[in-house]
Amino acid sequence: MPSAKYEQYGVPIAPQDPDQDFMTVQETAYVLRCSVSWLRRFLANRPDLHGRNGNRGRIVTNREQRTAIHEARSAGDPRTGRTVPRQRRRPVGRKPASAAA
């Protein structure tokens, strides 16, 4: 069962107007169709893509920042060194008894 804080801050919320200038993280996550936790982790290392309302207050985004977030998310795998995640290999095990005979 989700906690009260998760219900209040961790669930995307539909904005009153999708074209408004400033949105909270929950409204931005709803518009970008992503989770609030992913968006918070994404914005943690990118202070240029969000602002704060007040002294360490709520995280807010404007239109240009939302466009930049969408472009960065659509660019592909953000990991460095590889363009595609590695495939997992099957462990090398014993051969079946019928094949060994």
Side-chain angles (χ1 to χ4, degrees), residues 20-98:
Q20 63 190 9
D21 287 334
F22 292 97
M23 290 187 189
T24 64
V25 174
Q26 293 84 7
E27 294 170 339
T28 303
Y30 183 87
V31 171
L32 295 177
R33 295 182 181 163
C34 64
S35 69
V36 175
S37 61
W38 179 88
L39 187 58
R40 286 185 187 277
R41 285 192 312 268
F42 181 79
L43 295 176
N45 299 327
R46 296 170 177 87
D48 56 320
L49 294 182
H50 70 280
R52 292 204 179 258
N53 185 6
N55 185 17
R56 299 296 295 168
R58 295 186 97 178
I59 297 173
V60 293
T61 59
N62 61 23
R63 290 180 189 182
E64 293 82 22
Q65 292 167 337
R66 286 191 299 273
T67 304
I69 292 168
H70 177 69
E71 289 173 0
R73 193 175 90 156
S74 301
D77 193 1
R79 290 176 275 193
T80 57
R82 290 184 288 224
T83 57
V84 178
R86 290 184 191 161
Q87 297 278 334
R88 291 188 179 217
R89 294 184 184 182
R90 292 181 135 183
V92 178
R94 298 183 346 188
K95 293 183 180 180
S98 61

